[in-house]
Amino acid sequence: DVQMTQSPSSVSASVGDRVTITCRASQGIGNWLAWYQQKPGKAPKLLIYTASSLQTGVPSRFRGSGSGTDFTLTISSLQPEDFATYYCQQANSFPYTFGQGTKLEIK
Amino acid sequence: QVQLQESGPGLVRPTETLSLTCTVSGGSLSDHYWGWIRQPPGKGLEWIGYIYYNGSPNYNRSLKSRATISVDTSKNRFSLELTSVTAADTAVYYCARERGSGWSFDYWGQGTLVTVSS
């Protein structure tokens, strides 16, 4: 199975900050990577698919990049509603696997 | 607007079968894959499997053939059965739609907590 490792596991930041979350795959996955945002008690919400494509309705402050084994999610200017847990997911091979999550907290 | 809603028992006894249904409204099952993902309390996400609207499922082999996903296009719903459950199967179970390209999930149900306990 492809192992997905996110870093950091948690990060504290302030409104207006720029934040970058990294996701590394244990083997090359092309650009078959998605990013999700999850708030407590809610289902995940798709932000980015195929590594850098912005899902409809998602603000442009969210940007995904990378290919192969190394990927990043950047939030350019944090808003209060962005504090949540973020997951990456690979879809290059079965079984699809998720990273362990990165919790973004208010500083 | 596509909406998904999980339904099924919230409590299942060990060794029994967990059965959940996901009813889709606001759209048809056609031309999409439909999946199940679970999340143990306080933990991360695990992909269980998915099925195309006309069949052809794929499963996470970590479930050791305990999972079966089926689809009922006449009722616009799909289902999950997980046999021989243990406490390790306690989780929030989500159903979701694969977006049609990119192999990611764009619509999700609200999730249903299933507890395995005697």
Side-chain angles (χ1 to χ4, degrees), chain B residues 64-113:
Chain B
K64 296 183 174 63
S65 302
R66 296 191 295 126
T68 300
I69 299 174
S70 58
V71 63
D72 185 344
T73 53
S74 68
K75 296 183 178 179
N76 226 40
R77 67 188 192 190
F78 61 105
S79 300
L80 169 69
E81 286 198 340
L82 188 64
T83 62
S84 305
V85 297
T86 71
D89 295 309
T90 293
V92 175
Y93 285 76
Y94 295 101
C95 59
R97 188 188 83 164
E98 193 283 319
R99 68 180 305 281
S101 64
W103 303 110
S104 51
F105 296 98
D106 59 353
Y107 287 98
W108 294 65
Q110 65 185 22
T112 187
L113 174 63

Side-chain angles (χ1 to χ4, degrees), chain A residues 33-46:
Chain A
L33 184 102
W35 289 97
Y36 300 87
Q37 175 194 71
Q38 187 179 34
K39 296 182 178 179
K42 300 294 186 181
K45 173 187 174 182
L46 178 65

